[in-house]
Amino acid sequence: MDVETSAKGREALASVPNTPGAPKPDPIVVGDGITRTFGGLTAVDVEHIEIQRGVITALIGPNGAGKTTLFNLLTGFDKPDAGDWSFNGNRLAGLPAFKVARLGMVRTFQLTKVLSKLTVIENMRLGATGQRGEHFWLSMLPPLWRAQEQANTERADDLLRRFKLDAKREDFAGSLSGGQRKLLEMARALMVDPELIMLDEPMAGVNPALKQSLLGHVKSLREEGRTVLFVEHDMDMVRDISDWVIVMAQGKIVAEGRPEQIMADPAVIDAYLGAHHDADLSELDEARIEAEATAELDQEAKND
Amino acid sequence: MDWGSIFSNAMASALGPDAIVYALAAIGLNVHFGYTGLLNFGQAGFMAVAAYGLAASVATWGLPFWVGIAIGFGAALLLALLLGVPTLRLRADYLAIATIASAEILRLVFGSVTLSDWFGGSNGRQQFANTFYDMNPYSSRLDFGLFSFSANDAWVFTVGWFLVALSCLAVWSLMRSPWGRVLKSIREDEDAVRSLGKNVFSYKMQALILGGMFGALAGFMLAIKQQSVIPTDYATDITFFAYTALLLGGAGRVLGPVIGAIIFWFLMTFLGGFFSSAASIDLIPDVVMSDIQASLVRFILVGAGLMALMIFRPQGIFGDRREIAIDGR
C-alpha cells in the first residue's frame, strides 16, 4: 500500500467539495454530532467530520476553537455530551483511551509527555504493543519474553536512528530538550505502529532548525502509508505539508479544503484574524473616537 | 553509661523482628509509591486485616493456622479491590485520603465493643501462632556474640529475613521486566501510558494488590512475633514509620526499604537507650527533662534527621541523584 495509498488519497481529495463536513471518498475517521460543553461554554459542536485515509490533514483554528478538546474526545481522553464516531468502521464512542490506541489511533500531546525518569530506550520499549512480559505472572519468567523484548529493542533502535536520537539512547528522557522530547514522543507513538497518528501542536516550542527535520518526519509518516491528523498554529507548516485543512472556530468546523484554497477563504481569515484584519486599526479608532466625542459634545450642548 | 548494652540493644532491634515488620511494610509501600506513584497512606490497614484475619480465624473460630494465613491474604486482597475500584481512577491525592481513612476505620472496627466476640475489642486476640512456634527448630537462645535472641525470636528472625529476601527477589524480578516498566511509566505520566494502549487502571490495581500482599506479610509477622493482635498496634504511625524507612533507604530501589528499616530501628533504639540512660545518670539534669521525656527525644531527632535527608540527600541512601535533578527542570 504505502506510497500508493497516500498518492491515491491525495488524488481522491481533488474531487472533494470545500464545504464544512464534506464527505471523503475513503474516510478513516467519521464523526457525527459530537458536542462537549464545559458549564455554559460549548467547546466542541461538530456536526460531521471525515478524515481521509493516507493523507496529512491539518486542524487549525484560533485559540479556544476546540481543536485539542476534539482530539481528546476522538481518542477517548475526554467524554462528549453527545455524538458518535468511528475509526476504520469500529465505533469508538464510550471506548477508553487505551482501547482506542490499540485499534491503531495514537496521539501525542500538546505539552509533551515523556517519562522523565526512564531512559530514552525504555520510553521507546514501552510503546510496543502485545508484550508478553507486561503480564504479571509471565513477567517473572524472562525466557518467555526475552526474544520479543529483543525484537522490540531493535525496532526501537531503528526508530531512534531515524529520529536522530540514537546518541541519547541511555539518557533519561527528562534531560532532553523540548524539541528532542517532541521527537521522542513521535517515535514512541510509532512503536505502537498506528494507522492514524494524531499530533497535537508538533511544532510548539521547537527551534527552526529542528522544525525542518520534524516536517520531514511528518511527511515520511505519510509515505509509509499512515494517516496523519495534526493541530498546528504554524501556518508555514500547514501550507507546507498538509494535503487537507479543516478549520475550527468556536467549537464548529467553519471551513475545509486544500491548503492554498483555505488560506484565501474569507471565512477562515475572519475566524483567524478578525473581520477587520486588513483595515488600518488606527484609522478605525480615530473615526470611532471622533464619533464618540461628537456625540458627547452634542449631549452636553443639549443639557446646557 | 553502658555503651555496650545500648549498642547491642540497637543492633538486636535493627536486625530483629521490629525491623523485619517495617522492612516488609516498606517493601509494599515501595511497590505502591516508589514504583507506581500510588500514595497509599493506609498500609496499616493492609497489615491489620491480614493480622486479624489470622488471629480471629485461629483464636475465635478455631480454624487451622494455615487457613488463617490464607484468610489474611484474602482479606488484604479484598481490601485492595474495595479501595482501588472507586479511587484508582481519581487523582493520586484521593487515594491517599481514602486509604488513611479506611485504615482508621478498620482499626476502630477491630477495636469496637460490638464485634468484641470476634476480634476481642481493645484486648485483641492472643495465642494463635502456636503452630508456627511448634515448627521452631531452635531449642535454646541464638547467640550472635554482641546480642542474642530467645529461641522464639530466633525463629521469627529466620523466617522473617527469609520472607524479606524472597520479597526483594520478587520485586527485583518484577521491576526489571516489561511489567515493572509499565508501573514506572505510570508513576511518571499515566496519560502517556494510556495513549500507548496500556490499561492503566488494571496495572494500578495489580500494583495495589501486590503492595498490599507485602503489607499482609508485615501484618502476619507483627502478629506472630508477639502472639497477639491489639488495635493500637495498627494505628497510622506504623504507616508513617514505614514511609520513613522507605525514604531513608531510597524509594524505587529494591533494597531501599530493607536498609531503611534496619537503619531506622537502629537509630530509634540507640537514641532511645542513650537518652534514657543519660537522663537516669543525670547527664541530662531532671530540670531539663525527666528520663521518660528523654526517651522520647529520639522521635524528634529521627524527624529532624528525615528533614535533613530530604534537604541534603532527597534520593535516599540508594537513590540516583540524576533522577532527582530531573524534577527540578
Side-chain angles (χ1 to χ4, degrees):
Chain A
M1 55 183 237
D2 301 355
V3 181
E4 216 178 299
T5 320
S6 74
K8 237 195 270 172
R10 267 178 282 182
E11 235 168 73
L13 281 177
S15 60
V16 174
N18 285 0
T19 51
K24 313 285 186 311
D26 183 15
I28 189 166
V29 172
V30 181
D32 277 297
I34 303 170
T35 56
R36 176 73 169 105
T37 53
F38 297 109
L41 176 83
T42 306
V44 168
D45 180 12
V46 171
E47 273 173 37
H48 189 78
I49 183 170
E50 290 189 11
I51 312 291
Q52 171 70 16
R53 185 189 312 276
V55 301
I56 300 178
T57 305
L59 187 59
I60 65 169
N63 289 323
K67 306 178 299 286
T68 297
T69 309
L70 182 63
F71 251 52
N72 289 342
L73 293 172
L74 291 177
T75 49
F77 277 84
D78 193 5
K79 301 250 174 293
D81 301 320
D84 209 356
W85 66 103
S86 65
F87 170 73
N88 267 339
N90 300 305
R91 271 195 68 198
L92 295 186
L95 223 55
F98 77 93
K99 284 190 181 161
V100 174
R102 280 184 195 172
L103 286 172
M105 181 168 165
V106 175
R107 67 167 303 178
T108 65
F109 295 88
Q110 189 174 353
L111 300 166
T112 42
K113 292 186 184 295
V114 295
L115 311 163
S116 306
K117 289 181 195 171
L118 269 65
T119 58
V120 167
I121 186 73
E122 284 283 80
N123 264 269
M124 293 295 287
R125 286 188 187 123
L126 179 75
T129 48
Q131 297 190 46
R132 278 194 290 277
E134 287 183 355
H135 292 279
F136 180 77
W137 298 109
L138 300 186
S139 70
M140 284 183 271
L141 301 165
L144 291 180
W145 48 261
R146 207 169 272 143
Q148 196 187 27
E149 181 88 343
Q150 186 60 39
N152 288 339
T153 305
E154 277 166 26
R155 205 153 63 83
D157 278 327
D158 284 345
L159 281 169
L160 286 182
R161 267 192 296 278
R162 174 171 152 196
F163 284 83
K164 303 208 168 45
L165 285 171
D166 44 343
K168 300 276 178 188
R169 190 179 191 270
E170 301 300 334
D171 291 4
F172 283 124
S175 69
L176 298 181
S177 72
Q180 288 168 330
R181 288 178 194 214
K182 292 267 180 202
L183 286 172
L184 174 59
E185 209 185 22
M186 205 185 289
R188 191 179 63 192
L190 287 180
M191 283 297 289
V192 186
D193 197 15
E195 256 189 276
L196 169 63
I197 182 161
M198 300 171 62
L199 309 169
D200 198 349
E201 298 205 16
M203 293 297 158
V206 176
N207 73 52
L210 202 52
K211 228 172 227 182
Q212 278 311 313
S213 82
L214 250 170
L215 281 178
H217 289 307
V218 177
K219 278 187 198 164
S220 72
L221 299 177
R222 179 180 61 193
E223 308 316 320
E224 290 175 354
R226 299 182 207 279
T227 309
V228 180
L229 175 65
F230 71 95
V231 169
E232 191 50 70
H233 280 298
D234 184 333
M235 282 305 142
D236 290 333
M237 174 180 179
V238 172
R239 194 178 294 117
D240 201 14
I241 67 167
S242 57
D243 302 307
W244 193 259
V245 180
I246 298 178
V247 187
M248 284 183 77
Q250 289 163 351
K252 294 185 196 312
I253 295 180
V254 294
E256 278 193 49
R258 285 193 298 283
E260 61 278 7
Q261 299 167 323
I262 281 296
M263 300 295 172
D265 187 331
V268 177
I269 297 165
D270 278 2
Y272 241 94
L273 306 170
H276 300 294
H277 72 97
D278 50 0
D280 188 338
L281 287 179
S282 58
E283 266 175 36
L284 276 174
D285 280 355
E286 260 171 44
R288 200 194 61 211
I289 292 164
E290 205 181 303
E292 273 173 22
T294 322
E296 219 168 290
L297 284 173
D298 287 351
Q299 191 68 34
E300 268 173 39
K302 251 184 234 162
N303 288 349
D304 288 342
Chain B
M1 192 181 300
D2 185 0
W3 284 105
S5 82
I6 293 174
F7 186 72
S8 65
N9 280 342
M11 283 306 288
S13 169
L15 298 174
D18 286 330
I20 290 168
V21 170
Y22 282 79
L24 287 168
I27 288 171
L29 289 178
N30 199 21
V31 171
H32 289 154
F33 173 71
Y35 288 108
T36 324
L38 299 174
L39 212 47
N40 170 21
F41 278 162
Q43 193 69 332
F46 285 99
M47 295 169 70
V49 292
Y52 269 92
L54 168 66
S57 299
V58 177
T60 308
W61 294 301
L63 296 168
F65 177 80
W66 295 109
V67 175
I69 294 281
I71 290 175
F73 275 127
L77 174 71
L78 193 68
L79 177 62
L81 292 173
L82 284 177
L83 275 179
V85 168
T87 53
L88 284 181
R89 290 180 200 279
L90 302 172
R91 250 178 24 217
D93 27 0
Y94 291 98
L95 183 75
I97 295 166
T99 46
I100 198 167
S102 48
E104 279 298 278
I105 290 168
L106 285 166
R107 183 175 65 85
L108 294 171
V109 167
F110 287 133
S112 70
V113 179
T114 320
L115 294 177
S116 63
D117 285 349
W118 292 356
F119 303 122
S122 56
N123 294 324
R125 284 282 175 244
Q126 281 75 36
Q127 298 304 316
F128 44 80
N130 293 332
T131 313
F132 176 81
Y133 288 108
D134 286 346
M135 293 186 295
N136 188 355
Y138 302 105
S139 50
S140 58
R141 287 188 79 84
L142 186 62
D143 201 346
F144 286 94
L146 197 58
F147 55 93
S148 67
F149 290 126
S150 70
N152 278 352
D153 273 357
W155 182 223
V156 172
F157 168 85
T158 311
V159 174
W161 284 115
F162 175 72
L163 288 176
V164 170
L166 214 60
S167 302
C168 285
L169 196 68
V171 170
W172 172 77
S173 89
L174 282 167
M175 293 311 161
R176 74 189 179 123
S177 79
W179 186 82
R181 180 164 64 220
V182 179
L183 293 200
K184 285 180 253 177
S185 305
I186 290 172
R187 176 190 69 196
E188 297 302 309
D189 194 318
E190 58 178 82
D191 273 343
V193 179
R194 222 170 255 137
S195 78
L196 296 171
K198 320 284 176 197
N199 187 349
V200 169
F201 176 76
S202 160
Y203 282 101
K204 281 169 138 184
M205 184 59 95
Q206 291 171 40
L208 190 64
I209 292 171
L210 179 68
M213 290 299 134
F214 292 124
L217 281 180
F220 289 144
M221 291 313 293
L222 178 57
I224 287 170
K225 85 177 169 84
Q226 52 204 25
Q227 275 267 44
S228 156
V229 287
I230 49 169
T232 46
D233 276 348
Y234 300 94
T236 45
D237 51 1
I238 204 167
T239 306
F240 292 114
F241 285 153
Y243 261 110
T244 307
L246 175 63
L247 296 175
L248 199 61
R253 289 286 178 276
V254 173
L255 291 179
V258 180
I259 302 301
I262 291 173
I263 294 173
F264 177 78
W265 275 103
F266 180 85
L267 287 176
M268 283 296 259
T269 316
F270 183 84
L271 293 171
F274 170 77
F275 278 103
S276 42
S277 62
S280 66
I281 59 164
D282 277 346
L283 195 68
I284 303 172
D286 254 358
V287 221
V288 181
M289 57 177 101
S290 69
D291 42 354
I292 297 168
Q293 289 169 326
S295 70
L296 296 176
V297 173
R298 60 188 175 152
F299 291 107
I300 299 170
L301 286 181
V302 167
L306 190 66
M307 284 169 68
L309 186 81
M310 289 296 103
I311 294 165
F312 298 110
R313 201 176 163 82
Q315 71 273 37
I317 292 165
F318 278 105
D320 185 337
R321 181 115 221 166
R322 290 188 304 157
E323 285 190 9
I324 298 291
I326 285 166
D327 282 340
R329 290 170 75 98

